Amino acid sequence: MNNSNRTIDLANEISKVLALAESGEMDPQTIADTLEGIEGMMEDKFDASMSVIRDFEANKKKCKEEAARLSERSKHWDRQAFNLKKYLLECLRASGRKSFKTATNTFSVKKGSLSLEIVDEDALPDDFVNSQTQIVNEIDKEKIKKILSENLKAIEALQEKGADVPPELLNAIPGAKVVRGEETLSVR
């Protein structure tokens, strides 16, 4: 037996003990005692890891909250700067000047940028209008997913039993497939 206390090594030890149990090389009491000891250490490791995970998740939440707070604070300063610039523009206009120089800055009234506004689309000459016909396909993804998910479960059940999978299950809806994502850890 390995004396490592790493979680993965403990998990591998359980696998080895179970293999020895299947081969009949260990008596049932030794197997039970060994598994009980290893599983006790693994419980401690898993619980400790979960505690660290919860701390990480709490820190992530705090970071998101702080980011939202700082974003709102940033918008506040943007509004303050915008309002002060607007005030200085009003002062320049009131003085009748287009520019004003200080020792460190030059303030100028800048013309507004141009933007296009279509007031009557039907009145525009044809040279300026491109007409298009668009075909929109609406796919019933939920229906397809339901059928293919049921098929995948049936295929997996047959494979677990070692049975052959009928071809009609393999390509139930041509042009679509469901894919099982990576395994994840569920903790309750």
Side-chain angles (χ1 to χ4, degrees):
M1 291 292 151
N2 186 356
N3 287 331
S4 174
N5 282 331
R6 292 182 341 155
T7 309
I8 193 70
D9 293 333
L10 293 172
N12 287 331
E13 281 300 312
I14 288 176
S15 179
K16 289 176 189 174
V17 170
L18 293 174
L20 290 173
E22 283 183 25
S23 68
E25 294 181 35
M26 286 179 106
D27 67 274
Q29 186 58 47
T30 305
I31 292 168
D33 292 345
T34 304
L35 286 176
E36 185 178 324
I38 295 172
E39 285 177 351
M41 288 188 281
M42 275 191 62
E43 283 178 15
D44 293 344
K45 298 270 185 190
F46 269 65
D47 286 341
S49 294
M50 197 60 219
S51 178
V52 171
I53 289 168
R54 285 189 177 111
D55 284 346
F56 289 165
E57 290 170 345
N59 287 340
K60 175 185 166 188
K61 182 180 177 192
K62 288 177 192 171
C63 287
K64 279 186 168 183
E65 289 169 355
E66 186 65 9
R69 186 187 73 78
L70 290 173
S71 176
E72 189 55 41
R73 193 77 179 129
S74 174
K75 289 175 188 173
H76 165 77
W77 293 118
D78 279 344
R79 287 188 301 270
Q80 293 295 338
F82 175 81
N83 289 336
L84 195 51
K85 285 179 185 178
K86 188 176 172 183
Y87 172 73
L88 292 177
L89 178 61
E90 288 174 18
C91 291
L92 266 179
R93 285 184 184 147
S95 72
R97 301 172 80 173
K98 292 286 185 187
S99 67
F100 179 68
K101 290 185 180 188
T102 68
T104 55
N105 297 292
T106 300
F107 301 88
S108 302
V109 176
K110 179 181 167 189
K111 286 185 179 182
S113 59
L114 298 176
S115 63
L116 177 64
E117 182 180 325
I118 304 297
V119 291
D120 184 0
E121 191 174 307
D122 293 333
L124 293 173
D126 289 344
D127 292 349
F128 298 102
V129 179
N130 292 326
S131 297
Q132 299 176 0
T133 301
Q134 186 175 2
I135 297 173
V136 178
N137 295 323
E138 292 185 17
I139 299 171
D140 191 345
K141 291 181 179 181
E142 288 302 314
K143 186 176 180 181
I144 293 172
K145 183 178 179 184
K146 181 180 180 198
I147 292 169
L148 292 180
S149 295
E150 290 170 2
N151 279 11
L152 181 60
K153 290 175 186 174
I155 290 169
E156 289 173 342
L158 288 170
Q159 288 173 336
E160 283 180 22
K161 295 176 187 174
D164 290 332
V165 177
E168 63 269 11
L169 282 180
L170 293 175
N171 196 17
I173 301 177
K177 65 180 182 177
V178 290
V179 180
R180 187 173 299 284
E182 290 186 31
E183 291 180 335
T184 60
L185 178 67
S186 172
V187 182
R188 289 189 254 173

